[in-house]
Amino acid sequence: MKKRVLFCFFLLFLLVGLAACGEKSQEDVLKALDEKVQKMSGYKAEAKMTLQTGTEPQVYEIEIWHKSPSYYRVNLKNAERDQHQMILRNDEGVFVLTPALNKSFRFQSDWPQNSSQVYLYESLVKDILADSKAMFKATKDHYVFQTKTNYENKKMLPKQEIMLSKKDLSPVKVTVMDVDLNPLLTVEFAKVEWNANFDDNAFDVNKNMTRAQLDDANLATKEANQQAVPVMYPLYQLDGVELVEEKEFVTENGKRIIMTFTGEKSFTLVQEKAHALPTMSVSTSVSGEPVDLGFAVGALTEQSLTWSYKGVDFILASNDLTKEEMISIARSVQGKVVK
């Protein structure tokens, strides 16, 4: 009997020891993440992104292609499929495509290396490795990190929680939070294919534009037939700043709305109906950096931010606003509100 009891204790001790040995430490996970990014040849991923910055959640479908070391294709559509843009990076530069308008803009940019990108795996890993004070926990199926962000508006969105699968370290969910840790943006990954194969023209601008336009035939017709420009107002408010003037001008292309906001800081918001180009022979070069607004990709400079959304072109200009403030204002211009 005594031998049997001792044997049971020994077996229990062995099982506990094996379980402890099987759980990776934070350092083990960090090393494995670094090795995975260094060795992978690329991936394809599908995800759903939800923004909480407007009056109601905005949901978008994202398809991500990455071929190491520097080719990217990020396809962004909203759930109702009435907004579609694509970011491409190849040897010629960084491009933002709006297929329904037959427009392609070219940036001389370090994107995506210049800031965090919530839907790019290697960017998430970079944020994890860069934060020496990152919080870490292991659940039954996941490793979870809470880290600092490196977004353009990181003062407004300083923290993110990154959930990874224990099985292969693939991304499961990313939650980006404000200063009070309220979730404002989430990305849920549905599928990740590691070391994926790509066609020779997978990252070609013209080929991707043509394919996207075939998919977006109904969207292009809808935007072309849109008669009136719905006036949209920023829901994000700065203390001591208010709308003091709104003017409407008639142009050869339709109406142009110019709003002037003044106070402790001043800015101007211009919006008018976007028009599709008849052909897309070359890409238009633009200054600034591509910035992801969630629902659209804009061009950000020191004093302006431009973007297109649901058939409307927007220009936000200011000598007073920081880049973070411009992004926050632009993200909130998503619908019509009563003044």
Side-chain angles (χ1 to χ4, degrees):
M1 177 65 70
K2 187 175 181 180
K3 288 183 178 180
R4 185 177 298 175
V5 172
L6 288 174
F7 177 75
C8 289
F9 272 114
F10 174 76
L11 184 61
L12 180 62
F13 177 80
L14 182 62
L15 290 173
V16 171
L18 288 173
C21 292
E23 189 66 67
K24 291 184 178 181
S25 67
Q26 181 174 353
E27 290 71 22
D28 293 332
V29 178
L30 292 176
K31 182 179 179 181
L33 285 171
D34 191 26
E35 290 177 353
K36 189 174 186 69
V37 169
Q38 296 298 327
K39 292 179 180 179
M40 71 179 184
S41 62
Y43 60 86
K44 293 180 179 179
E46 296 175 5
K48 180 181 74 173
M49 180 170 66
T50 305
L51 278 83
Q52 303 286 349
T53 54
T55 54
E56 57 185 45
Q58 303 283 325
V59 181
Y60 300 85
E61 300 168 356
I62 310 175
E63 182 184 50
I64 308 106
W65 291 1
H66 171 46
K67 182 179 179 180
S68 296
S70 58
Y71 281 16
Y72 290 91
R73 176 183 179 272
V74 179
N75 207 15
L76 177 71
K77 292 184 179 182
N78 76 340
E80 287 75 30
R81 302 179 72 86
D82 57 358
Q83 173 75 2
H84 181 195
Q85 285 186 296
M86 185 184 298
I87 309 175
L88 286 173
R89 180 180 178 125
N90 54 33
D91 291 335
E92 299 175 355
V94 178
F95 300 83
V96 174
L97 280 57
T98 306
L101 299 177
N102 205 28
K103 292 181 180 179
S104 170
F105 297 99
R106 180 182 179 184
F107 296 81
Q108 292 299 326
S109 168
D110 291 332
W111 185 94
Q113 304 301 327
N114 50 358
S115 65
S116 299
Q117 307 297 329
V118 70
Y119 37 68
L120 297 184
Y121 179 71
E122 61 283 6
S123 179
L124 297 172
V125 172
K126 183 178 179 181
D127 287 347
I128 291 172
L129 297 176
D131 189 353
S132 60
K133 297 182 180 180
M135 297 176 63
F136 170 80
K137 67 178 180 181
T139 66
K140 179 182 177 181
D141 299 315
H142 305 115
Y143 298 119
V144 183
F145 289 88
Q146 188 178 109
T147 77
K148 296 183 294 186
T149 68
N150 187 37
Y151 301 114
E152 287 284 0
N153 57 337
K154 59 186 176 183
K155 290 182 180 179
M156 309 293 180
L157 301 171
K159 291 287 185 180
Q160 62 187 349
E161 183 178 89
I162 303 169
M163 181 183 295
L164 307 171
S165 169
K166 278 187 173 181
K167 183 178 179 180
D168 60 357
L169 298 179
S170 60
V172 176
K173 183 178 181 180
V174 183
T175 304
V176 185
M177 297 165 281
D178 63 16
V179 292
D180 297 319
L181 299 184
N182 298 310
L184 294 185
L185 186 155
T186 60
V187 176
E188 298 171 275
F189 290 84
K191 179 181 178 182
V192 180
E193 178 187 351
W194 298 111
N195 301 316
N197 295 317
F198 298 97
D199 296 336
D200 292 339
N201 57 12
F203 303 92
D204 180 80
V205 173
N206 291 325
K207 294 293 184 181
N208 276 284
M209 178 68 86
T210 300
R211 291 171 188 159
Q213 286 175 330
L214 291 174
D215 292 339
D216 287 355
N218 292 334
L219 174 56
T221 302
K222 177 181 177 181
E223 294 194 347
N225 293 335
Q226 181 179 322
Q227 298 299 318
V229 176
V231 181
M232 301 185 192
Y233 300 86
L235 304 182
Y236 181 82
Q237 295 182 341
L238 291 170
D239 292 338
V241 178
E242 61 181 354
L243 175 63
V244 296
E245 186 177 63
E246 178 179 333
K247 290 185 176 181
E248 181 179 299
F249 298 90
V250 178
T251 70
E252 60 181 14
N253 294 323
K255 293 182 180 179
R256 177 181 297 145
I257 310 297
I258 300 179
M259 301 178 188
T260 303
F261 295 79
T262 62
E264 295 182 11
K265 293 190 174 183
S266 300
F267 65 90
T268 301
L269 178 63
V270 181
Q271 54 189 296
E272 62 184 313
K273 182 180 178 180
H275 288 267
L277 298 179
T279 60
M280 203 278 300
S281 57
V282 295
S283 298
T284 303
S285 295
V286 296
S287 60
E289 291 285 336
V291 58
D292 184 4
L293 301 176
F295 56 84
V297 180
L300 177 66
T301 70
E302 293 292 335
Q303 298 177 332
S304 69
L305 176 54
T306 60
W307 71 98
S308 296
Y309 178 58
K310 292 188 176 181
V312 180
D313 286 337
F314 294 88
I315 302 174
L316 175 63
S318 175
N319 293 322
D320 301 331
L321 297 177
T322 65
K323 289 184 177 181
E324 291 85 356
E325 289 168 337
M326 281 195 284
I327 293 173
S328 295
I329 292 171
R331 280 187 177 228
S332 73
V333 183
Q334 295 182 37
K336 184 176 180 180
V337 297
V338 179
K339 295 183 292 178

